[in-house]
Amino acid sequence: MTPAWDPDAFAARLPFLRRRTRLMSATRAFFAARGYAEVETPYAVHTPGEEVHLRAFRTEREYPDGRLEPLWLHTSPELAMKKLLVAGAGPIFQLARVWRNGEGSDLHAPEFTMLEWYRPGAGMDALIEETVAYLRAVLPPVVTCRGVTTDLSHIERLTVAEAFLRYTGADVLATADDAPALAAAAGTRLRDNESWEDLFFRLLLERIEPHLGRGRPTFLTHWPAAQAALARKDPADPRVAERFELFVCGIELANAFVELTDPDEQRARFKADRARRHAAHGPDWPLDEDFLAALAFGMPPAAGIALGFDRLAMIASGASRIDQVLWLINPSATGSGA
């Protein structure tokens, strides 16, 4: 394969990369104008995250006295940035490199850039409004990517329950934790050993996501509480959490929470997620007790969002693959390049 440093290969990517550079400058200008501080947090950490289905890269710190300490490349700067909220740093944003092992496709890379921002005192409506303002500030009014066109002049807000009813015919909240009931309501066969969560995501991927973020951006809101480990439950309906995902040009672009600030509830959720992850993949990293101590000290009410910056660069530039907006791609150990 042609190496990424080949001048002809680089020249083909250069228009996309130049658009990425302008996008990064516009992003910093947007947040500076709104009073955000840009922060940097450690990449090699003791606890990279607690997501059940994400896999992390392991590394190691060697001390001058020869001691070795296992560390992990973080899958998100979320826990570290929330510690800064406790310290009084917010509102804050970060353009962070993150790592997720086992990933790779036209929309996924094992190492990529995540834009995350957190605003103390904000709720879901305020965060959606700010996200729309950001998109309109850094993108043209109409964008096309991977054959899908989205008009940013108007948006769609859709709850997960509304989306399931519209596109599968199922009442997803009434069938929570009952996989056979959800399968029957959606008119599908339950696969061998398929859990309710497995079926939930299969229906989401196959029947719902193909309809989202096409003519206009879609904010998919109010996720079942079990699918939002770091989000606050909705005070008006504890069956759901105050979480949304954003879709533009048919691409899942961002994931956002009104943040959970209760340390006891957060510890219980972490333990449940760790048990599921360890059952699937074995033991890994320690629980982030420092983060839980920060929550116990007192994190202000806040909302935060993680947005895939490389995917946004694809949308801004019209690139069809994520590698087209990456300055350099690590060559495979079995090949000369990507």
Side-chain angles (χ1 to χ4, degrees), residues 3 38 56 78 80 89 122 152 209 219 224 240 243 294 312 320 325:
E38 183 173 3
E78 179 173 4
L152 301 181
E209 288 191 3
F219 289 87
V240 298
R243 169 190 178 186
L312 185 66
S320 59
V325 297

Side-chain angles (χ1 to χ4, degrees), residues 114-327:
M114 186 82 81
L115 167 63
E116 292 206 17
W117 75 89
Y118 294 84
R119 178 173 283 280
M124 183 180 292
D125 290 343
L127 186 59
I128 289 176
E129 289 173 4
E130 187 163 61
T131 303
V132 172
Y134 169 68
L135 293 178
R136 291 173 178 170
V138 302
L139 297 175
V142 178
V143 288
T144 300
C145 185
R146 295 168 62 86
V148 179
T149 297
T150 298
D151 183 344
L152 301 181
S153 65
H154 55 292
I155 67 169
E156 175 185 38
R157 289 183 59 160
L158 190 65
T159 69
V160 169
E162 289 169 341
F164 265 79
L165 191 61
R166 179 182 300 178
Y167 297 117
T168 77
D171 186 336
V172 71
L173 298 179
T175 59
D177 297 322
D178 188 339
L182 178 57
T188 189
R189 183 183 66 82
L190 192 64
R191 296 172 179 171
D192 292 343
N193 300 315
E194 189 171 38
S195 67
W196 182 90
E197 182 183 56
D198 294 336
L199 178 58
F200 172 88
F201 283 110
R202 174 160 67 91
L203 293 171
L204 185 69
L205 180 65
E206 294 177 357
R207 299 200 195 173
I208 296 173
E209 288 191 3
H211 300 280
L212 305 181
R214 296 199 166 258
R216 54 189 173 176
T218 300
F219 289 87
L220 187 65
T221 73
H222 296 88
W223 287 62
Q227 306 305 320
L230 287 100
R232 185 182 73 174
K233 290 181 180 178
D234 187 343
D237 186 351
R239 297 177 302 169
V240 298
E242 293 182 300
R243 169 190 178 186
F244 70 76
E245 286 190 355
L246 167 63
F247 295 79
V248 178
C249 291
I251 297 171
E252 179 193 333
L253 185 60
N255 185 32
F257 299 151
V258 177
E259 306 298 342
L260 176 62
T261 59
D262 183 318
D264 295 328
E265 183 176 353
Q266 186 64 83
R267 180 182 293 275
R269 293 195 198 180
F270 277 168
K271 286 184 174 179
D273 286 345
R274 289 170 67 80
R276 293 167 60 207
R277 191 176 69 249
H278 293 171
H281 303 295
D284 41 45
W285 46 82
L287 186 64
D288 193 339
E289 293 289 354
D290 188 55
F291 172 69
L292 292 171
L295 283 189
F297 183 86
M299 188 178 113
I305 183 168
L307 184 148
F309 188 79
D310 306 292
R311 292 184 179 183
L312 185 66
M314 290 176 61
I315 291 168
S317 65
S320 59
R321 304 186 315 276
I322 197 168
D323 64 290
Q324 293 173 301
V325 297
L326 302 179
W327 280 94

Side-chain angles (χ1 to χ4, degrees), residues 12-78:
R13 297 202 314 280
L14 192 54
F16 304 117
L17 296 170
R18 286 175 172 158
R19 183 65 180 92
R20 177 194 178 99
T21 297
R22 296 196 300 273
L23 181 65
M24 190 164 282
S25 296
T27 295
R28 288 192 162 103
F30 176 86
F31 287 105
R34 288 178 169 247
Y36 279 78
E38 183 173 3
V39 301
E40 294 179 290
T41 57
Y43 289 172
V45 296
H46 295 101
T47 303
E50 293 294 356
E51 295 88 347
V52 174
H53 302 294
L54 293 184
R55 296 169 58 193
F57 286 85
R58 180 172 176 147
T59 185
E60 193 171 64
R61 178 183 178 183
E62 181 177 345
Y63 285 85
D65 62 6
R67 287 183 297 120
L68 300 178
E69 180 182 38
L71 295 172
W72 303 80
L73 298 179
H74 70 175
T75 59
S76 163
E78 179 173 4

